[in-house]
Amino acid sequence: MTNSTTPHTVPRASLKRLPLYLHLLENLMADGVEYVSCTQLAKEFDFDAILVRKDIELTGEVGTARIGFKVATLIGSIKSFLGWDKEQDAFLVGVGNLGKAILGYKDFKKYGLNIVAAFDNDSRKVGTKVFGYEIFSTSKFGDLAKRMHIYVGIITVPPEHAQEAVDLMVDAGIKAIWNFSPAPLRIPEGVILENVRLTQSLAVLTNKLKRVFKS
Amino acid sequence: MTNSTTPHTVPRASLKRLPLYLHLLENLMADGVEYVSCTQLAKEFDFDAILVRKDIELTGEVGTARIGFKVATLIGSIKSFLGWDKEQDAFLVGVGNLGKAILGYKDFKKYGLNIVAAFDNDSRKVGTKVFGYEIFSTSKFGDLAKRMHIYVGIITVPPEHAQEAVDLMVDAGIKAIWNFSPAPLRIPEGVILENVRLTQSLAVLTNKLKRVFKS
DNA sequence: AATTTATCGATATATAATTATCGATTATAC
DNA sequence: GTATAATCGATAATTATATATCGATAAATT
Ligand SMILES: NC(=O)c1ccc[n+]([C@@H]2O[C@H](COP(=O)([O-])OP(=O)(O)OC[C@H]3O[C@@H](n4cnc5c(N)ncnc54)[C@H](O)[C@@H]3O)[C@@H](O)[C@H]2O)c1
Ligand SMILES: NC(=O)c1ccc[n+]([C@@H]2O[C@H](COP(=O)([O-])OP(=O)(O)OC[C@H]3O[C@@H](n4cnc5c(N)ncnc54)[C@H](O)[C@@H]3O)[C@@H](O)[C@H]2O)c1
């Protein structure tokens, strides 16, 4: 009776809340907390408790009335649901300011993402090392990706070169692309594209701010 | 009749799509394109044309049947609606990997955000320069923010220090906080908090990828 | 032991967001 | 000039998402 009610379309909004819970749960775990209720979780984020329960329901985890959910197993369920239980190896293309910051960020491993190599087409960067990662020429991307069975690609090149990076990745058999450039990209059927648009977040901020100043 | 139908709550999803249109519109503008229809815009992003029209409606811009919208004025309307028509000065706290990348990113200015100074509590960093920005001690934040009438703060410190940064900003009269740390933060009534959670985006990617591998 | 209270799971309702429909409008083709 | 096709604005229908309700359950309280 766990997954019989699971809808075939996972709400994107739920998918985005689950990492929030996970992060908090890991803190609770570290503090030795054994059980947590939806009410408690909800309070932390100013969500509705029922919303949290519905999100958790997606993962298949079942709780106990009056007690809530076991922190340790809930962490496992969320990770498994998100695909963070086993590490995904990834290649990064574009070792500029943002690319470097991502290479230097150790926590992605916790979230199942293991960056194994980085690529750039600037000959001055090729051969150098950044946070222990050797920078390869993009010409090596295809061979290495196939040899190492890489299915995840991260794009941190300028927008005008983002489509090139996509094409490179698609040719190399990459199945999922995490794109940080603001360019609209074309991908073939079957390849997953997830965009990080900082300006979207900025838009929400400034629009709200505008209304604060008005009133 | 322009804004009489405008709802008092702006859909967050719309707010996030507007920058996408804007980016494309600016490219069109640069290419000398004078008019654009919702159909064209929609095709670029694989959105429904009606969705695009509704989003544009929010900005108050009116179009002409068969022609569409004038690119130049539409850009203006979107920018104004997002609060990107006049620059907002901002302070950044936490000049680490991500903070540096943000300081080095010139395009935020296009989106109405003008970073004017950066702060860190690492004494080795204080006094140095990063991309032309002098790094100040966080102890100077309050004075400078008040003196320079700064209302926007950017947080790029480790999660365990993010609440400190919030408190610092709130005390200094900051009205809107753009937070890049994954920590859940407490803010007083009236202050705007916008979080950038890269792991949320990663969650969507890996969950989708998991299902690709399953089938 | 009985009562109270918190919380679960399931189901129902309400709200928000997206997509469809339709008459009006205007350039382009004939 | 008249017909055709594209697209607008407005309204309606649909779908997705969030919130409310309710009986069941299990700890805490009396
Ligand atoms: N830095 C930020 O804070 C920030 C914020 C929002 C969005 N972005 C986006 O992220 C992307 C990277 O930004 P950045 O600030 O790191 O830029 P950057 O200019 O610092 O770095 C770009 C890197 O990509 C490399 N590159 C260019 N074309 C390439 C290609 N075809 N193949 C491989 N490598 C290539 C360059 O050599 C450079 O090292 C951009 O699309 C930018 O719009 C950055
Ligand atoms: N780097 C990434 O790609 C990335 C990705 C996702 C999230 N983040 C988040 O962004 C934040 C910054 O990440 P990072 O990789 O740049 O970390 P970092 O460790 O490189 O930089 C943190 C900086 O903050 C400074 N700092 C610490 N405490 C401070 C305080 N109380 N006041 C002022 N400055 C203080 C440190 O001296 C350091 O310079 C973190 O919360 C991280 O979780 C980073």
Side-chain angles (χ1 to χ4, degrees), chain B residues 193-212:
Chain B
L193 175 65
E194 175 65 23
N195 298 304
V196 176
R197 314 266 198 208
L198 295 190
T199 49
Q200 291 191 335
S201 172
L202 184 59
V204 177
L205 184 89
T206 51
N207 176 270
K208 281 185 193 161
L209 188 62
K210 198 188 69 172
R211 275 175 286 161
V212 166

Side-chain angles (χ1 to χ4, degrees), chain A residues 151-172:
Chain A
Y151 300 111
V152 178
I154 305 170
I155 294 182
T156 46
V157 301
E160 57 274 21
H161 293 110
Q163 188 61 54
E164 288 169 40
V166 167
D167 297 344
L168 185 78
M169 289 180 175
V170 168
D171 284 347

Side-chain angles (χ1 to χ4, degrees), chain B residues 91-149:
Chain B
F91 278 1
L92 180 144
V93 175
V95 190
N97 292 324
L98 188 58
K100 275 183 209 158
I102 290 172
L103 287 176
Y105 191 58
K106 295 284 159 282
D107 282 3
F108 285 136
K109 255 206 174 145
K110 279 197 210 160
Y111 309 118
L113 189 75
N114 183 37
I115 304 176
V116 292
F119 299 81
D120 205 291
N121 70 349
D122 183 339
S123 56
R124 288 163 302 180
K125 291 184 179 177
V126 172
T128 64
K129 280 203 170 188
V130 172
F131 293 110
Y133 298 94
E134 191 185 338
I135 312 307
F136 296 100
S137 161
T138 44
S139 61
K140 298 248 173 77
F141 191 99
D143 274 355
L144 281 173
K146 279 169 196 159
R147 184 131 45 91
M148 299 177 75
H149 305 286

Side-chain angles (χ1 to χ4, degrees), chain B residues 174-194:
Chain B
I174 292 292
K175 288 273 160 283
I177 296 173
W178 202 20
N179 166 51
F180 286 79
S181 95
L185 300 175
R186 297 269 156 224
I187 47 154
E189 194 80 19
V191 173
I192 295 158
L193 175 65
E194 175 65 23

Side-chain angles (χ1 to χ4, degrees), chain A residues 93-99 119-122 125 138 155-159 161 164-165 180-182 198, chain B residues 98 101-102 104-105 107-108:
Chain A
V93 175
V95 190
N97 292 325
L98 189 58
F119 299 80
D120 205 291
N121 70 350
D122 183 340
K125 289 185 179 177
T138 45
I155 294 182
T156 46
V157 301
H161 293 110
E164 288 169 40
F180 286 79
S181 96
L198 294 190
Chain B
L98 188 58
I102 290 172
Y105 191 58
D107 282 3
F108 285 136

